[in-house]
Amino acid sequence: MRFSKAFIYTSKETPAEATLPSHIFLLRGSYIQSVGAGLYNFLPLGKRVLDKIRAIVKEELDKAGCQEVDLAFVTPSELWIESGRYEKYGKELLRFRDRKDAEFVLGPTHEEMMVNLVRSYVKSYKQLPLNLYQIKTKFRDEIRPRFGLMRGREFIMKDGYSFHESYKDMLKEFNKMEKTYSTIFKRMGLDFRIVEADSGAIGGSGSKEFMVLANSGEDTIVVCDSCDYGANIEAAKRVAPKAPEEKPEMTFGKFYTPNVSTIEDLSKFLHIEPYWIVKIVAKKALFDGGVEKIVLFALRGSDELQEVKAQNVIDANELLDVEASELEALGLVPGFLGLKDLPNDILVVADKELEGENCCVSGANEKDYHYVGVDLTKLDLTYKDIAQVKEGDICPKCQKGKLSFTKGIEVGHIFQLGTRYSKPLKAEFLDKNGKLKPFEMGTYGIGVSRLLAAIIEQHHDNKGPIWPVTVAPFEVEIIISNVKKEEELTKANELYEVMQKEGIEVLIDDRKERFGFKMNDFELLGIPYAIIVGKKIGENKVELVDRKSLEKEEISFEQVLDKLKEKLNK
RNA sequence: CGGAGUGUAGCGCAGUCUGGUAGCGCACCUGGUUUGGGACCAGGGGGUCGAAGGUUCGAGUCCUUUCACUCCGACCA
């Protein structure tokens, strides 16, 4: 490609809205163009990188026995109603009607469509296992799209679905996909970690996320300092923390605690560690059919509620904040919420680490009063894991390492779905005994467009991205120092043609610009190597520049091709 | 959804308080000089001032409505 003819328009100005390096460089380098909230055009450079990423994904999946399909983007809403996700998916699902007033959704993911496809063809265990995937545009009407390609509304995802006759067989595929995904991300030069995850709106049991470690990541991941445990904070577990002090002596009683409504104040007032105080977090939960319910979550005062865990244990679609007035309407007293003397129909979930606790402090559901010495074992409570892991907690896997937080960008997610979709959608096959059984399923996603951003977040300097060769838009750029010098122009063109014949992806900067201008563009584009054809061409010498180190190496014109091929492993 | 802010040339912005001929930098076009780290000189093209309504002799500027976008938060009684 000749730069003088290419649709590449770099900019010196940093766009006002961009804060992350990936967003800034993608815009400045004319890889993408912003067209609206969370919507982007891919320009030639961006498209080239996207295609490289796509190709790697496809190559590895096909090698692993997966088959590519391409499903309709616009999907009839009946399928979504059938699976029960029409409501559960919430506002992120874009719904609309066609001219005949039929309802449709823009696919945010394709479980329904894929199950629908497979159930209409696959009737026998002999046709299994099966792993189908597509690399396709998705639309999710995000509450707050941001950070460029990191969180867009329209984005490109690889979504794959596997179908099996048994749970065991599904697990085998799940493990295979874990390996395949690792290979894919390694080929892109990414430093990532596989962590345990929450399965969110997709549903299902076991799930793992592939997190690219980067400070700008939106996800907090919990890692152990002495083993390989890693989990998204939404799913992280821990060894129950030890009590910070010996259990205090308390006999049951009601205490006058005027204006003491926070855990911190109460701890000081009673001279007791928050560990012994039961904190109640009230939330408004939204369920299917628009049902709203106030739910109380009980935790140790030293802990915080993990909302995703909380939402999952009660199977709610969303958790919202509660107004004080809404609590008062139920006869509850904000600031003095407790576990005793609650209205009968209220849903209460206690953290599992409180189970068996027989001596703690809790609100009395009465203004300015708390109970002490409350015995939880005498109350009929549901116990679930709803507390958020903290830094310094003990690792659940090795039981000795300390947990700490780090930030990650989620680029892949694999789920063991089981029969979560096959059952409601009646996707069944005949097993060896002639019995109808729902498919055991797995589902596997890769954020293809997000990968562009993730790769830059991990590979850049202050001048621009530094693309790994495997995903770079071009492998090398030839920079003609001064196009008015006949010899430079001729030699550079000669090199350009030889390289093209050799199958090297090359961009030649043949613009009538000054040397510095071209070097800056080379750095901003992030192409892995440059060959400068300049003033030393008279001595038959050119320079090879490594984008990463920015070091220049002088070599003879004849050697440059071999040297470059060596660097590119060609 | 709550809070804050911004919409003026392709991009980045000034002008709005105090109404009176729509500006600057980058980019773009022409000519010339320059050519190893984002050159310089001269000339030039490009605007429904987000939209609608109102006040006024006169609105980018004041008032009302509306749309879009960006940033922060979604938190713990």
Side-chain angles (χ1 to χ4, degrees):
Chain A
M1 176 62 73
R2 292 192 170 271
F3 210 138
S4 60
K5 305 269 185 257
F7 196 93
I8 301 172
Y9 306 104
T10 57
S11 160
K12 256 196 288 196
E13 314 257 14
T14 298
E17 76 269 17
T19 51
L20 291 191
S22 60
H23 194 187
I24 292 170
F25 295 140
L26 285 170
L27 289 169
R28 283 189 50 206
S30 69
Y31 280 86
I32 58 171
Q33 180 193 33
S34 164
V35 289
L39 305 174
Y40 292 89
N41 287 333
F42 278 85
L43 314 189
L45 281 176
K47 176 66 174 149
R48 288 184 76 102
V49 178
L50 194 61
D51 285 348
K52 289 272 183 88
I53 292 173
R54 261 185 132 114
I56 292 173
V57 171
K58 179 170 171 58
E59 199 180 307
E60 293 300 330
L61 288 174
D62 288 355
K63 218 187 277 177
C66 308
Q67 299 177 67
E68 189 174 7
V69 294
D70 201 338
L71 306 184
F73 183 33
V74 173
T75 65
S77 52
E78 288 92 81
L79 276 176
W80 286 78
I81 292 166
E82 206 182 331
S83 74
R85 275 209 296 184
Y86 192 65
E87 283 183 57
K88 198 173 169 91
Y89 217 97
K91 288 182 180 156
E92 285 183 24
L93 185 64
L94 184 66
R95 302 138 209 255
F96 59 96
R97 290 163 187 277
D98 69 3
R99 69 204 311 173
K100 288 182 264 179
D101 220 26
E103 284 187 67
F104 290 90
V105 306
L106 275 191
T109 170
H110 277 77
E111 279 80 7
E112 282 80 358
M113 280 295 270
M114 196 64 87
V115 171
N116 185 50
L117 168 70
V118 170
R119 73 178 170 183
S120 61
Y121 285 97
V122 180
K123 304 290 179 194
S124 156
Y125 73 95
K126 290 176 195 163
Q127 293 165 281
L128 299 174
L130 196 58
N131 190 330
L132 301 176
Y133 74 96
Q134 60 174 347
I135 296 170
K136 196 175 180 71
T137 297
K138 301 281 185 270
F139 191 89
R140 293 182 188 171
D141 201 356
E142 293 279 349
I143 314 173
R144 197 178 153 213
R146 56 182 134 182
F147 303 142
L149 295 183
M150 203 74 94
R151 180 168 297 280
R153 290 195 295 169
E154 184 179 308
F155 59 100
I156 297 167
M157 178 164 106
K158 172 262 156 175
D159 49 324
Y161 309 84
S162 69
F163 298 80
H164 310 270
E165 57 177 311
S166 68
Y167 182 77
K168 207 177 129 197
D169 195 48
M170 183 265 283
L171 278 187
K172 213 170 98 191
E173 183 72 7
F174 182 84
N175 292 331
K176 189 179 186 184
M177 283 298 120
E178 181 173 338
K179 285 205 188 82
T180 306
Y181 273 35
S182 296
T183 310
I184 289 170
F185 297 131
K186 269 183 213 149
R187 281 184 63 182
M188 295 173 189
L190 288 168
D191 178 16
F192 62 95
R193 191 134 181 174
I194 301 172
V195 305
E196 289 175 20
D198 162 62
S199 43
I202 306 283
S205 48
S207 90
K208 288 186 179 178
E209 284 170 338
F210 290 76
M211 289 288 186
V212 168
L213 303 181
N215 292 331
S216 53
E218 291 189 274
D219 287 283
T220 298
I221 55 185
V222 177
V223 294
C224 174
D225 65 7
S226 73
C227 76
D228 65 352
Y229 178 76
N232 191 305
I233 189 138
E234 297 172 351
K237 295 185 177 64
R238 67 179 179 191
V239 171
K242 285 205 185 84
E245 61 184 6
E246 234 171 88
K247 188 185 274 195
E249 294 283 324
M250 288 189 247
T251 42
F252 181 75
K254 196 192 228 178
F255 264 68
Y256 180 54
T257 52
N259 291 320
V260 180
S261 62
T262 66
I263 299 294
E264 200 186 332
D265 290 350
L266 191 60
S267 166
K268 278 185 197 147
F269 188 88
L270 296 172
H271 301 288
I272 193 170
E273 289 287 335
Y275 182 86
W276 303 108
I277 300 171
V278 176
K279 162 157 89 178
I280 308 286
V281 182
K283 290 280 165 186
K284 181 158 57 179
L286 296 186
F287 296 95
D288 287 350
V291 179
E292 281 185 16
K293 221 175 155 179
I294 302 291
V295 186
L296 301 184
F297 295 99
L299 304 148
R300 289 196 186 274
S302 49
D303 279 326
E304 295 188 1
L305 181 67
Q306 210 323 303
E307 283 201 31
V308 174
K309 286 183 182 178
Q311 183 179 320
N312 287 344
V313 299
I314 59 168
D315 201 24
N317 296 340
E318 210 179 337
L319 289 185
L320 302 171
D321 293 340
V322 186
E323 298 289 324
S325 58
E326 292 175 274
L327 291 178
E328 282 155 10
L330 286 169
L332 298 170
V333 187
F336 300 92
L337 295 176
L339 289 168
K340 285 173 74 71
D341 313 330
L342 290 170
N344 279 336
D345 57 342
I346 202 151
L347 183 56
V348 182
V349 178
D351 185 58
K352 69 174 179 13
E353 289 172 15
L354 280 170
E355 189 157 15
E357 196 57 72
N358 57 15
C359 186
C360 47
V361 174
S362 103
N365 291 324
E366 188 179 335
K367 187 164 167 45
D368 295 339
Y369 284 95
H370 279 87
Y371 286 126
V372 302
V374 176
D375 185 351
L376 297 183
T377 62
K378 289 189 179 150
L379 298 169
D380 183 22
L381 292 170
T382 308
Y383 293 96
K384 299 276 185 186
D385 176 20
I386 55 171
Q388 178 151 307
V389 166
K390 288 185 295 210
E391 284 197 280
D393 283 345
I394 303 301
C395 172
K397 188 168 176 184
C398 65
Q399 310 268 321
K400 58 176 199 286
K402 280 199 170 136
L403 298 176
S404 63
F405 291 176
T406 174
K407 289 284 179 184
I409 302 164
E410 183 191 344
V411 292
H413 201 159
I414 55 177
F415 300 86
Q416 298 164 20
L417 271 185
T419 56
R420 165 75 179 78
Y421 292 90
S422 50
K423 257 189 190 156
L425 292 168
K426 293 202 177 56
E428 299 168 325
F429 65 97
L430 286 173
D431 71 3
K432 281 175 189 169
N433 305 315
K435 277 180 84 176
L436 267 184
K437 279 173 72 176
F439 297 110
E440 287 287 341
M441 289 178 60
T443 180
Y444 320 92
I446 292 179
V448 174
S449 47
R450 178 181 282 176
L451 275 167
L452 263 88
I455 292 168
I456 296 181
E457 287 303 320
Q458 230 173 40
H459 299 279
H460 71 270
D461 57 17
N462 59 8
K463 297 180 171 202
I466 303 168
W467 294 110
V469 174
T470 49
V471 295
F474 292 95
E475 290 166 322
V476 60
E477 176 175 327
I478 298 172
I479 296 171
I480 307 172
S481 178
N482 183 351
V483 290
K484 286 202 175 158
K485 299 252 167 79
E486 199 58 44
E487 196 179 9
E488 290 182 20
L489 190 63
T490 320
K491 287 287 199 177
N493 277 323
E494 191 183 310
L495 193 57
Y496 176 62
E497 275 165 37
V498 171
M499 282 183 174
Q500 282 192 312
K501 272 194 198 119
E502 291 283 336
I504 294 169
E505 295 172 42
V506 54
L507 177 70
I508 182 166
D509 196 342
D510 56 348
R511 296 174 299 172
K512 292 187 188 77
E513 297 289 349
R514 293 161 76 95
F515 177 74
F517 187 90
K518 294 182 180 184
M519 276 304 284
N520 277 308
D521 267 359
F522 159 69
E523 284 152 359
L524 175 59
L525 294 187
I527 294 168
Y529 299 101
I531 292 162
I532 303 169
V533 179
K535 57 190 179 188
K536 292 222 170 139
I537 196 67
E539 304 162 33
N540 213 30
K541 282 190 174 146
V542 296
E543 284 159 287
L544 180 60
V545 189
D546 183 323
R547 172 63 185 87
K548 193 168 182 180
S549 65
L550 291 177
E551 276 164 18
K552 294 172 187 166
E553 187 186 351
E554 210 167 83
I555 42 183
S556 77
F557 186 77
E558 283 72 27
Q559 282 174 334
V560 70
L561 185 65
D562 287 339
K563 187 88 189 175
L564 189 67
K565 279 163 85 173
E566 184 191 313
K567 298 236 181 213
L568 295 173
N569 276 322
K570 287 213 169 190

